[in-house]
């Protein structure tokens, strides 16, 4: 089976009465338009998306009257930052931006993929953080940039 488009997302489409098979992907794999994956029931699926769109957690790759194949993102090793002041937030955002590290935001926390150097920086700056295994909905996306 070759998947060429995402049908929808389980947050907006009813799954009631359908058997759900999951395709487990790392957040890094969400940006790949072409890949071969295996469902949790052992079915091989080819993904060849026609649109340049990142996959997100809960995307429906296949659906009929009885079955669905859904993307499920595996947990990442993350640093969860909880800056206390706007100054602290600005300082850490500036430092991470200089390193071109992608970040995501959920409610009042900033998420970055674990890196021991970033952890040392957080310690030096006194930014409250924790290291957690956490599932993100979308890929960590690097923004193209050069200092040319």
């Amino acid at each position: 089976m070759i998947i060429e488009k995402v049908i929808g997302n389980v947050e907006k489409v009813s799954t009631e009465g359908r058997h759900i098979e999951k395709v487990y992907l790392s957040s890094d794999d969400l940006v790949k338009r072409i890949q071969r994956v295996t469902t949790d029931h052992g079915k091989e699926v080819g993904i060849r998306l026609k649109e340049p769109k990142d996959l997100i957690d809960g995307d429906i790759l296949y659906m009929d009257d009885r079955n669905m194949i859904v993307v499920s993102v595996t947990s990442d090793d993350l640093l969860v930052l909880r800056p206390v002041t706007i100054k602290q937030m600005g300082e850490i955002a500036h430092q991470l931006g200089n390193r071109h590290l992608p970040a995501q935001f959920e409610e009042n926390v900033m998420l970055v993929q674990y890196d021991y150097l970033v952890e040392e920086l957080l310690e030096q700056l006194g930014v409250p953080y924790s290291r957690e295994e956490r599932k993100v909905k979308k890929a960590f996306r690097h923004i193209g940039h050069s200092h040319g």
Side-chain angles (χ1 to χ4, degrees), residues 99-115:
R99 290 170 168 78
H100 302 281
L101 290 178
Q104 294 185 28
F105 298 88
E106 289 182 2
E107 297 179 25
N108 293 324
V109 298
M110 180 181 198
L111 307 173
V112 295
Q113 291 175 309
Y114 178 77
D115 180 302

Side-chain angles (χ1 to χ4, degrees), residues 54-72:
D54 292 351
L55 294 168
I56 62 170
D57 189 56
D59 274 349
I60 301 166
L61 302 176
Y62 171 82
M63 181 171 69
D64 64 19
D65 293 340
R66 295 177 301 188
N67 300 296
M68 294 176 103
I69 298 176
V70 176
V71 171
S72 182

